[in-house]
Structure formats: C-alpha cells, structure tokens
Amino acid sequence: MTDKKTALITGVTGQDGSYLAERLLSKGYSLHGLVRRSSRFTTERIDHLHIGDNPSPDFHLHYGDLSHAGALRNVLDDLRPDEVRPDEVDNLGSENEAKPSGLGLLANGLMNRAA
C-alpha cells in the first residue's frame, strides 16, 4: 500500500486545471486528468507533463465529456483495479469552452452547479 495521494482533475487542459496539475505533481501526487476529446488540439498547457523529454509517470489522461451524465463514473470505473481510487476530485471542467454568448455561459454555470 502506498502513501501517495491520487487526484482526478476535470478540465485539466484549462488554465486553472493545468496549474493545479503542476502543483499536485510537484507535491508527489498521482494525477488523472479528464480531457474532452475536442480538447485534443488544445493541450499545450499540459503537454510538458505527459509528452516530450521528461514526461511524468504519475500523470494519466482520460477522455470524457461532462455533458454526458456518466462521464466521470466511466473514468472512475475504467481505472485499473490495482490503481488507487482518487483521494480527491477537483472539478474545474465545464461543458464547453467559454463563449461570448450568454447562453454558453449559462450552460457552463448550470453544468458546474450540477457537478
């Protein structure tokens, strides 16, 4: 049994999510990040954590869309039995990227409130 803490971050490709990922990894966490498939081209904030010259072996990405009710449960269910369940879940994700439309902001607020 390990004393290493495990965290799951939704919205890990966003500004706050990427900073939190760096912080938790520097504290020795094992980290799982939830990424929307449409974000696969906007991962530059976290690319240094999982690809490149010095990727972190403690950083793992999972794909899921928070607009799908079971996305978070699917990620938790997909973790291998020998992996520790997250000690914490940091919900920094939203249904979609920020838009100038009031409806987009309203949808983000409702999605985050429901989580």
Side-chain angles (χ1 to χ4, degrees):
M1 187 78 171
T2 180
D3 290 333
K4 181 179 281 203
K5 289 190 176 184
T6 302
L8 171 65
I9 300 176
T10 67
V12 72
T13 60
Q15 178 179 339
D16 294 345
S18 62
Y19 287 140
L20 182 58
E22 289 175 349
R23 176 86 171 150
L24 293 179
L25 286 169
S26 74
K27 289 181 153 208
Y29 274 67
S30 175
L31 187 62
H32 296 266
L34 184 65
V35 179
R36 188 176 46 233
R37 285 214 184 267
S38 63
S39 294
R40 68 176 179 241
F41 299 113
T42 58
T43 61
E44 61 272 353
R45 288 187 187 107
I46 60 166
D47 283 345
H48 65 288
L49 299 176
H50 69 102
I51 59 176
D53 294 335
N54 194 20
S56 173
D58 293 321
F59 186 63
H60 314 278
L61 292 179
H62 306 273
Y63 290 104
D65 187 342
L66 290 177
S67 65
H68 179 269
L72 199 54
R73 171 56 43 201
N74 290 342
V75 169
L76 292 172
D77 288 345
D78 285 345
L79 293 176
R80 294 187 324 260
D82 61 327
E83 291 180 315
V84 178
R85 294 293 188 206
D87 296 298
E88 62 185 73
V89 176
D90 299 290
N91 183 27
L92 302 176
S94 65
E95 180 182 358
N96 56 11
E97 296 177 26
K99 297 178 181 179
S101 160
L103 289 176
L105 296 174
L106 177 61
N108 282 347
L110 292 174
M111 180 61 67
N112 284 331
R113 185 174 177 191

